[in-house]
Amino acid sequence: MSMDGISVLEKIVILHVWEDDDLDYDMSEGFLVKPGYAFFVLEGTVYLSKVERIYQTGINRFYIENRNTSSVRLATNVTRDPAVVIPEIVTKLHGRDVIEWLTQDVLNNMVGEFPFQVLQ
């Protein structure tokens, strides 16, 4: 799906829940990249994460972030509109293979160990 080279994605609302000492939550606008996976911006960082749909009468695009799995940080210090930034990132990633992405973006732009599970 693209319009002038930019991906058109389904817009959703994502609930993020942290169950540490105090129950804390936040909400963000996100975009489904495929069923069960979404891009979103939280505190200036773009993430790709697993999400689960919340089935509620009359609500079709409400999801919760699956905090039992890893998420991937794709960009930091984002100040532009997520509706512009996320389709640009999706379009960029569609044009790359995994090896190019790992060697260019992960090894050059991320700090620390990256938990990328290849074999199960």
Side-chain angles (χ1 to χ4, degrees), residues 10-14 28-32 37-39 51 60-63:
E10 180 182 356
K11 189 182 288 189
I12 62 172
V13 174
I14 302 172
S28 68
E29 179 180 272
F31 297 87
L32 280 182
Y37 297 89
F39 287 91
V51 293
N60 295 322
R61 295 186 289 174
F62 193 56
Y63 289 75

Side-chain angles (χ1 to χ4, degrees), residues 13-25:
V13 174
I14 302 172
L15 176 66
H16 311 275
V17 179
W18 296 273
E19 296 182 358
D20 297 333
D21 296 333
D22 298 325
L23 183 62
D24 193 15
Y25 70 94

Side-chain angles (χ1 to χ4, degrees), residues 36-37 48-52 65-72 115:
Y37 297 89
L48 171 61
S49 185
K50 289 184 77 173
V51 293
E52 296 177 20
E65 180 186 2
N66 184 340
R67 309 241 350 129
N68 293 323
T69 63
S70 295
S71 59
V72 178

Side-chain angles (χ1 to χ4, degrees), residues 95-106:
R96 304 176 94 181
D97 64 23
V98 174
I99 295 296
E100 181 182 358
W101 175 68
L102 286 171
T103 56
Q104 294 299 314
D105 292 340
V106 175

